[in-house]
Amino acid sequence: MATLANFLKAVASLAVMGVVGLGGWAGYRVYSARDAASQELREQLQKKDQELAAAAANVQRLNETVSVQKREIERLDTALRLLKVENRVAYISVLDQWKPEGAQRVETRLAFIEVDKQGKPLGQPKEVTIEGDLVYVDAWVVKFDDKYVEEGDVFRATSLCLFRRLFGEYQRPSEGFQIDSPGSRPAAYADGQTLSEWEEQIWRDFWIYANSKAAADEAGVRAAHGEAPSIKTEKGKSYKITLRSSGGLTIAPADDAPRIPPPPSS
């Protein structure tokens, strides 16, 4: 009986050990499977992260390319637009033209008036009488390097012009009628702002830039010189004077000149 009891105890112990071993093996299988699944999930997440990082880098490169192309388009657009912009505009209207009794040449009464970007007159028209019918518009013109025009530089995106005087073909330039005062900023460039140090220097040192390449290069000035376009006038006609952003002055007949009121009766 004792032997049988010991045998049964041994069998029971073996059974318990078998159950425990089987449970441990099953648990290990479950743990291993779960760990493998977790590892696979981590690898998938890592791969997705890498794909997202690569996509983000690609988007960044595309954005940078688009930004560069946009700036280039804007630069070219600015350059083309500024080359066509009429920045300083004035009109000469022929009020009267006659030949005095016994005279050999005609005399011409003109009205000179500037307008702003909206075509509104800047101040009162200046009326002068010249000898002859050929009028000259004497001006100082500052032209900047093309790169400043193309870049739309805040100060040097366009040529600048100071209208000095009007004179007829039979008058000396020094006897012409003054328009802008040398050394001061023309009204067309005021725009409600105070005279900047840069503007003051441009007009004050105009002839320095004209005669010194080093000074002109430092200021970005391509050329500084006088211009005096002329035109043979006819009674009742008006002429438009324009300054383009990278060029000089032009003068041509115009149909859009502001109306000049008749002088007050005495």
Side-chain angles (χ1 to χ4, degrees):
M1 293 295 291
T3 302
L4 179 61
N6 289 333
F7 175 75
L8 292 174
K9 287 180 180 179
V11 170
S13 297
L14 289 172
V16 170
M17 291 178 63
V19 170
V20 171
L22 182 61
W25 177 79
Y28 175 76
R29 287 283 304 274
V30 172
Y31 175 80
S32 297
R34 187 176 298 171
D35 186 62
S38 298
Q39 179 63 27
E40 184 180 358
L41 181 60
R42 284 194 295 270
E43 290 176 355
Q44 289 178 354
L45 290 174
Q46 186 177 11
K47 184 178 180 180
K48 291 296 182 183
D49 287 341
Q50 292 173 348
E51 291 175 353
L52 288 173
N58 190 41
V59 169
Q60 178 66 23
R61 287 193 296 270
L62 289 174
N63 286 337
E64 291 174 355
T65 301
V66 169
S67 179
V68 170
Q69 291 175 343
K70 182 179 178 182
R71 288 196 299 270
E72 179 65 12
I73 291 172
E74 290 176 347
R75 185 185 72 83
L76 293 174
D77 179 69
T78 299
L80 292 173
R81 176 171 49 82
L82 289 175
L83 287 172
K84 298 176 183 177
V85 170
E86 296 171 340
N87 290 277
R88 193 156 189 205
V89 179
Y91 293 90
I92 292 176
S93 295
V94 183
L95 304 179
D96 199 3
Q97 199 168 66
W98 70 98
K99 180 183 287 187
E101 186 176 353
Q104 297 296 316
R105 60 179 71 108
V106 301
E107 293 187 4
T108 305
R109 185 160 63 91
L110 308 169
F112 177 94
I113 189 167
E114 283 195 79
V115 297
D116 61 15
K117 295 177 182 179
Q118 288 71 44
K120 297 180 180 179
L122 292 170
Q124 296 297 316
K126 297 181 179 180
E127 294 189 16
V128 301
T129 299
I130 63 169
E131 296 181 34
D133 54 9
L134 187 65
V135 61
Y136 289 83
V137 183
D138 182 20
W140 288 356
V141 178
V142 180
K143 303 173 184 177
F144 296 102
D145 289 337
D146 291 339
K147 67 176 183 179
Y148 295 113
V149 177
E150 295 172 355
E151 294 170 358
D153 184 274
V154 65
F155 289 123
R156 294 168 287 197
T158 178
S159 299
L160 300 176
C161 168
L162 183 146
F163 289 123
R164 293 231 31 221
R165 54 202 166 194
L166 297 175
F167 58 91
E169 60 181 314
Y170 299 109
Q171 296 171 279
R172 290 184 298 180
S174 60
E175 297 174 345
F177 301 93
Q178 181 175 297
I179 303 174
D180 292 330
S181 299
S184 65
R185 177 179 58 183
Y189 300 129
D191 197 25
Q193 304 296 319
T194 57
L195 182 66
S196 69
E197 181 180 348
W198 181 86
E199 289 177 285
E200 182 179 0
Q201 181 179 346
I202 283 292
W203 299 121
R204 184 187 65 233
D205 299 338
F206 178 86
W207 290 118
I208 294 178
Y209 298 132
N211 288 282
S212 171
K213 186 178 186 305
D217 289 343
E218 184 178 355
V221 172
R222 177 165 56 90
H225 53 76
E227 291 188 15
S230 61
I231 195 164
K232 188 178 180 67
T233 62
E234 296 181 9
K235 183 177 180 178
K237 284 194 173 183
S238 293
Y239 304 88
K240 187 176 185 178
I241 307 163
T242 58
L243 176 74
R244 292 193 179 275
S245 59
S246 63
L249 291 171
T250 62
I251 182 169
D255 297 325
D256 58 344
R259 178 179 175 276
I260 306 297
S265 55
S266 55

